[in-house]
C-alpha cells in the first residue's frame, strides 16, 4: 500500500511540474520577441551635386561636377558611391596655378527616420580618393637681395585619401525626385602633402593646406521607379 | 552703419625663409677689431650687403639662400679685417603654396657647406631645414 502511495505522489509531482511548465510558456503573458528582418534592396537613387554649379558665380577659376549613386537597403542603410571631376585655373599676379583630376568616394549612410523612412535624416561616412595633377608657372619669387625671377614648377600627379563624415537630410519633394543637403567634415588620411609643392585645391577634398576641411553638399536625386508601390 | 570686410591682393605676411648664422669669435685679434660688429655679408649676385650693425643681433645674422639655384655663395667681410671669407652652401629646394596673395615660398634643405679658412675655423650645421615657419641654423667659429 505504501508503494502505491509513493507512485501516486510521484505522478502528482510530475503533473504539477508539467502544469507549471505550461503556465511559464504561456505566450499571452509576454511580449513577442522582435524578429530581425533581413536588409532588403529597395531601390537606387541617382544624384547630382548642384552646389558645385555655384562655382560659376563664386569661384570662376574652378570648374567641377559631382554625381552619386545610392543603394537603398530597407530604407535604413544606403550604400553610396560618389565621383566627380575638378579643374582649377588660377591666374594671380605672382603665379599661375593649374590642377585637374578626379575623385571617388565610397561609403554608407544611416537613416535615423522611422516614421517616414522613404525620406532621410542621418549620418554617413565615406572614404575618398583623389587622382590629380597640378603645376604652376610664372611663379614670382621676390626677395630684397636676390633679383626677382619667375620659375615654372613642373606638372606632377599624385593621390590623396581622406575620411568624410556627413550629417544631412533628403526629402521627396516631387514624385521620385529628392532634394538633399548635408554638412561634411573631411579629414586627411594620406597623400595631402606633395614632395615638390603643395596643392592649392585637392579635387573632392578642398584646400590642400588644411588637414581638416568643412563643406556642404546640395544634391538633387532621382529615384529610379523600381520596386516602388 | 555699414560693415564690410576688405582684403587687398597684396602679400602682407613675412614670407622669408631665413638661414641664421651664429657667429662665435675666439680669436682675440678679431675681437680687438670688433670683427662681428663691423661684419657685413654679400653674395656676388647681390647689388647690396647685409650689415650686422643693422640686421644682426646677439651674434646672429640671417640671410636668404638663392631660391633660383642649388648653391649660394656668401662673402663675409669686416671693416678692419684685411681678408674675406667665403661660404658655399649646397642645398635642395622646393616650393610651398603659402597663400593666394603671397603665392609660393621656397623651402631649403642644406646638404653641405664649404668655406675658406682665412678667419673661419669651422662651420657646423645645427638645423638644415629652412622654411617660412622655421629658420635654418648654422654656427660659424672664427
Amino acid at each position: 500500500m505504501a508503494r502505491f502511495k509513493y507512485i501516486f505522489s510521484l505522478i502528482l509531482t510530475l503533473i504539477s511540474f508539467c502544469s507549471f511548465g505550461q503556465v511559464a510558456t504561456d505566450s499571452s503573458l509576454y511580449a513577442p520577441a522582435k524578429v530581425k528582418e533581413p536588409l532588403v534592396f529597395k531601390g537606387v537613387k541617382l544624384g547630382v551635386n548642384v552646389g558645385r554649379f555655384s562655382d560659376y558665380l563664386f569661384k570662376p577659376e574652378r570648374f567641377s561636377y559631382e554625381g552619386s549613386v545610392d543603394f537603398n537597403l530597407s530604407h535604413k542603410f544606403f550604400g553610396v558611391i560618389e565621383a566627380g571631376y575638378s579643374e582649377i585655373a588660377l591666374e594671380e599676379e605672382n603665379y599661375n596655378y593649374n590642377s585637374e583630376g578626379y575623385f571617388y568616394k565610397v561609403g554608407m549612410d544611416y537613416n535615423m527616420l522611422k516614421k517616414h523612412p522613404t525620406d532621410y535624416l542621418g549620418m554617413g561616412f565615406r572614404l575618398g580618393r583623389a587622382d590629380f595633377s597640378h603645376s604652376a608657372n610664372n611663379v614670382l619669387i621676390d626677395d630684397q637681395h636676390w633679383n626677382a625671377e619667375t620659375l615654372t614648377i613642373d606638372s606632377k600627379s599624385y593621390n590623396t585619401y581622406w575620411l568624410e563624415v556627413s550629417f544631412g537630410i533628403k526629402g521627396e519633394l516631387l514624385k521620385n525626385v529628392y532634394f538633399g543637403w548635408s554638412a561634411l567634415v573631411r579629414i586627411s588620411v594620406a597623400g595631402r602633402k606633395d614632395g615638390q609643392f603643395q596643392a592649392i585645391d585637392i579635387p573632392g577634398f578642398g584646400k590642400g593646406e588644411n588637414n581638416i576641411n568643412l563643406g556642404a553638399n546640395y544634391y538633387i536625386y532621382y529615384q529610379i521607379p523600381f520596386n516602388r508601390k | 552703419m555699414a560693415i564690410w570686410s576688405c582684403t587687398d591682393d597684396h602679400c602682407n605676411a613675412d614670407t622669408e625663409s631665413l638661414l641664421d648664422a651664429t657667429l662665435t669669435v675666439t680669436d682675440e685679434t678679431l675681437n680687438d677689431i670688433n670683427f662681428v660688429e663691423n661684419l657685413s655679408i654679400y653674395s656676388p649676385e647681390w647689388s647690396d650687403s647685409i650689415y650686422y650693425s643693422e640686421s644682426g643681433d646677439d651674434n646672429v645674422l640671417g640671410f636668404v639662400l638663392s631660391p633660383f639655384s642649388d648653391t649660394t655663395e656668401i662673402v663675409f667681410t669686416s671693416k678692419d679685417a684685411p681678408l674675406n671669407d667665403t661660404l658655399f652652401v649646397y642645398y635642395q629646394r622646393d616650393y610651398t603654396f603659402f597663400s593666394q596673395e603671397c603665392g609660393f615660398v621656397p623651402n631649403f634643405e642644406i646638404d653641405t657647406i664649404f668655406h675658406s679658412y682665412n678667419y673661419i675655423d669651422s662651420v657646423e650645421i645645427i638645423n638644415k631645414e629652412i622654411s617660412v615657419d622655421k629658420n635654418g641654423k648654422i654656427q660659424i667659429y672664427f
Side-chain angles (χ1 to χ4, degrees), chain B residues 18-22 60 110 113 123-130 134-140:
Chain B
L18 279 174
L19 174 59
D20 285 336
T22 302
V60 177
I110 299 172
I113 296 176
V123 176
E124 192 180 349
I125 301 169
I126 309 293
N127 178 28
K128 64 179 183 176
E129 289 176 357
I130 308 168
K134 195 173 180 188
N135 292 357
K137 199 171 276 186
I138 59 173
Q139 179 100 37
I140 305 177

Side-chain angles (χ1 to χ4, degrees), chain A residues 50-183:
Chain A
V50 290
R52 293 208 167 249
F53 298 133
S54 68
D55 286 348
Y56 292 113
L57 289 175
F58 302 113
K59 290 184 181 173
E61 71 277 7
R62 182 158 84 172
F63 166 72
S64 68
Y65 54 81
E66 181 180 349
S68 78
V69 184
D70 73 47
F71 304 92
N72 182 345
L73 301 171
S74 300
H75 301 304
K76 193 172 184 186
F77 295 102
F78 296 84
V80 182
I81 299 170
E82 294 169 332
Y85 172 81
S86 178
E87 183 182 300
I88 284 185
L90 200 57
E91 288 188 10
E92 296 286 336
E93 256 180 38
N94 47 355
Y95 65 94
N96 296 336
Y97 177 82
N98 294 287
S99 88
E100 63 171 332
Y102 293 90
F103 60 94
Y104 324 91
K105 294 187 273 182
V106 180
M108 185 77 82
D109 283 340
Y110 173 68
N111 191 3
M112 295 189 281
L113 284 182
K114 299 215 178 344
K115 282 193 175 176
H116 305 283
T118 57
D119 292 334
Y120 171 85
L121 173 110
M123 294 188 70
F125 75 91
R126 311 272 187 277
L127 176 65
R129 171 189 161 124
D131 298 333
F132 70 106
S133 64
H134 65 157
S135 63
N137 58 46
N138 284 329
V139 176
L140 180 69
I141 305 285
D142 199 3
D143 180 82
Q144 65 180 104
H145 300 293
W146 300 103
N147 292 326
E149 283 185 35
T150 58
L151 44 89
T152 296
I153 304 173
D154 294 333
S155 174
K156 193 180 176 202
S157 302
Y158 70 116
N159 305 321
T160 300
Y161 294 87
W162 67 92
L163 281 175
E164 189 172 294
V165 179
S166 66
F167 181 82
I169 53 174
K170 285 174 207 166
E172 187 176 17
L173 298 186
L174 300 168
K175 176 82 174 162
N176 292 324
V177 177
Y178 289 71
F179 291 83
W181 171 88
S182 59

Side-chain angles (χ1 to χ4, degrees), chain A residues 90 92 94-95 97 136 139 141 143-149 151 153 195-198 200 209, chain B residues 16 43 45-46 48 50 64-68 72 94-104:
Chain A
L90 200 57
E92 296 286 336
N94 47 355
Y95 65 94
Y97 177 82
V139 176
I141 305 285
D143 180 82
Q144 65 180 104
H145 300 293
W146 300 103
N147 292 326
E149 283 185 35
L151 44 89
I153 304 173
Q196 189 180 21
F197 73 107
Q198 189 159 49
I200 292 177
E209 64 187 294
Chain B
E16 276 193 326
S43 168
E45 296 174 55
W46 296 355
D48 56 358
I50 298 175
V64 177
L65 299 173
S66 170
F68 312 108
T72 290
D94 61 20
Y95 304 90
T96 303
F97 180 74
F98 187 80
S99 70
Q100 198 144 336
E101 292 78 21
C102 299
F104 291 84

Side-chain angles (χ1 to χ4, degrees), chain B:
Chain B
M1 185 173 68
I3 299 173
W4 70 92
S5 67
C6 59
T7 56
D8 58 25
D9 287 338
H10 294 98
C11 177
N12 299 315
D14 178 9
T15 57
E16 276 193 326
S17 304
L18 279 174
L19 174 59
D20 285 336
T22 302
L23 314 163
T24 304
V25 179
T26 53
D27 186 334
E28 283 306 317
T29 54
L30 294 180
N31 280 326
D32 290 344
I33 59 168
N34 292 323
F35 183 83
V36 171
E37 288 73 15
N38 295 319
L39 185 76
S40 64
I41 60 172
Y42 65 89
S43 168
E45 296 174 55
W46 296 355
S47 57
D48 56 358
S49 299
I50 298 175
Y51 294 91
Y52 178 84
S53 56
E54 294 172 4
S55 309
D57 195 22
D58 281 344
N59 281 21
V60 177
L61 189 59
F63 58 93
V64 177
L65 299 173
S66 170
F68 312 108
S69 165
D70 293 335
T71 311
T72 290
E73 179 182 349
I74 296 288
V75 179
F76 285 69
T77 182
S78 188
K79 199 173 72 178
D80 295 322
L83 300 172
N84 297 334
D85 264 313
T86 306
L87 218 58
F88 294 93
V89 187
Y90 294 85
Y91 49 88
Q92 299 170 54
R93 63 203 151 93
D94 61 20
Y95 304 90
T96 303
F97 180 74
F98 187 80
S99 70
Q100 198 144 336
E101 292 78 21
C102 299
F104 291 84
V105 291
N107 306 307
F108 307 96
E109 185 175 338
I110 299 172
D111 289 329
T112 186
I113 296 176
F114 294 109
H115 61 88
S116 59
Y117 287 89
N118 291 322
Y119 303 116
I120 295 176
D121 283 334
S122 62
V123 176
E124 192 180 349
I125 301 169
I126 309 293
N127 178 28
K128 64 179 183 176
E129 289 176 357
I130 308 168
S131 67
V132 171
D133 298 327
K134 195 173 180 188
N135 292 357
K137 199 171 276 186
I138 59 173
Q139 179 100 37
I140 305 177
Y141 296 94
F142 294 92

